[in-house]
Amino acid sequence: MNFRLILLLLTGSQAGQAQTPTTGPEIAVVEFRSYTLKPGTRDGFHRLVLEYSLPMLQRWNITVLSYGPSLQEDSSYYLIRAYSGLEARQKAEDAFYGSEEWKKGPREAIVSKIMNYTTVILPADSILHLAEKISTMTNIGTHHADIAELSALNKKFIENFIQQDTVRHNAIIHPDFVCIQSDGSIETREEYMKRWASGYSKSGYTSFFYTDELIRIFGNTALVRSKTVYTKVVDGKTVHGNSVYTDTYVKEGGIWKCVQAQITPVK
């Protein structure tokens, strides 16, 4: 089992806390140790781990994946180690905890702060499956949030058109924006924004709304498609019509902006 893959999936942004050798052992089992510490000792315990335990574990070739204060209470702490198998784990820990370096070194200072601890050992494959599920759930959550944001931008896009609000609309239009009109002509951003200031009223619309919204996301690019339903007065006559538009959004710095719009009339 690849060390770096488990390290990345298991610790995520905490990977800086773990040992990161350029090459690592094959991992078969992962040990989770949860400590309950005596009240008020966790900061001191953490310093001892950093200054003594981790360097010693590294010298004894015991791989630490992650460690640190737990979230649930101020007396809890965790240590996650990896081994090539159960027998290898037992041998490594017996050797480490039975060594003179440990017993005559930081043992007393560290153990004196521990009330009790529990140990759970899991197959490395199960950790990978768990990490992949967490990653999938995180991606789903992000996807749903992006869908909601893009839907709100689509709504704002139409509202800006009806209200002829160039200030608010300018904020959601990408600097490289272009608009492909129904006749195939391509407007630059500057031309588009200039027309936007009076486009609704000059077109004679009396009502304008959208329906059939469909949003598709491809990484940091999204397509937002909707159908407009409108009524307008042309040469004294009331005209009802529809058009389909597709707006292309790009996400930069965590912000979605429309980089292209294309409008197709429904005939």
Side-chain angles (χ1 to χ4, degrees):
M1 190 64 60
N2 183 272
F3 173 86
R4 287 192 172 276
L5 181 58
I6 286 192
L7 182 64
L8 178 63
L9 291 175
L10 181 64
T11 62
S13 62
Q14 299 294 320
Q17 292 186 346
Q19 296 175 21
T20 55
T22 54
T23 59
E26 288 298 303
I27 294 175
V29 297
V30 177
E31 175 199 75
F32 294 79
R33 183 161 288 185
S34 175
Y35 300 92
T36 299
L37 305 175
K38 294 177 181 178
T41 65
R42 188 164 71 174
D43 288 346
F45 185 85
H46 185 56
R47 285 194 296 271
L48 289 169
V49 169
L50 291 174
E51 294 174 13
Y52 298 101
S53 291
L54 290 178
M56 284 183 62
L57 287 165
Q58 194 164 21
R59 284 196 296 274
W60 284 78
N61 296 316
I62 296 177
T63 299
V64 176
L65 292 180
S66 192
Y67 60 91
S70 300
L71 295 177
Q72 70 267 34
E73 53 191 19
D74 59 11
S75 62
S76 60
Y77 198 90
Y78 72 92
L79 174 66
I80 305 175
R81 295 180 285 198
Y83 300 92
S84 60
L86 287 174
E87 185 179 350
R89 169 191 170 272
Q90 194 63 55
K91 287 182 178 179
E93 293 194 5
D94 286 348
F96 176 80
Y97 291 117
S99 69
E100 292 298 306
E101 182 182 9
W102 168 253
K103 291 190 289 186
K104 293 184 178 180
R107 181 187 182 281
E108 182 57 34
I110 290 174
V111 171
S112 66
K113 293 175 172 53
I114 300 172
M115 290 180 63
N116 56 70
Y117 68 86
T118 59
T119 301
V120 176
I121 302 172
L122 296 175
D125 284 343
S126 68
I127 303 301
L128 282 175
H129 292 323
L130 176 61
E132 287 165 358
K133 285 182 180 179
I134 292 172
S135 178
T136 298
M137 291 174 66
T138 300
N139 290 337
I140 289 172
T142 301
H143 184 80
H144 287 168
D146 284 334
I147 290 286
E149 183 177 351
L150 288 162
S151 182
L153 286 170
N154 191 34
K155 181 175 182 289
K156 187 182 294 185
F157 201 112
I158 298 300
E159 289 175 348
N160 292 347
F161 176 59
I162 294 171
Q163 297 165 8
Q164 301 179 149
D165 190 335
T166 56
V167 174
R168 198 167 73 149
H169 199 60
N170 187 67
I172 67 174
I173 299 300
H174 194 276
D176 295 327
F177 175 87
V178 295
C179 179
I180 303 174
Q181 294 291 346
S182 57
D183 61 0
S185 62
I186 300 175
E187 277 187 327
T188 65
R189 188 185 196 280
E190 183 179 0
E191 293 168 338
Y192 172 84
M193 289 303 299
K194 184 177 180 180
R195 180 176 57 80
W196 192 266
S198 57
Y200 184 81
S201 58
K202 284 186 176 179
S203 296
Y205 289 112
T206 56
S207 70
F208 193 97
F209 62 94
Y210 69 98
T211 186
D212 298 344
E213 180 182 80
L214 176 66
I215 298 174
R216 302 177 69 195
I217 299 175
F218 307 90
N220 289 329
T221 303
L223 300 178
V224 179
R225 188 181 75 213
S226 292
K227 179 181 180 181
T228 62
V229 181
Y230 61 81
T231 302
K232 62 180 179 180
V233 177
V234 180
D235 297 328
K237 295 181 179 180
T238 299
V239 177
H240 303 281
N242 307 104
S243 64
V244 173
Y245 64 86
T246 301
D247 294 332
T248 303
Y249 286 80
V250 291
K251 191 176 188 180
E252 297 176 346
I255 299 173
W256 288 104
K257 290 200 173 186
C258 186
V259 71
Q260 179 175 290
Q262 183 164 3
I263 305 168
T264 303
V266 177
K267 297 182 178 179

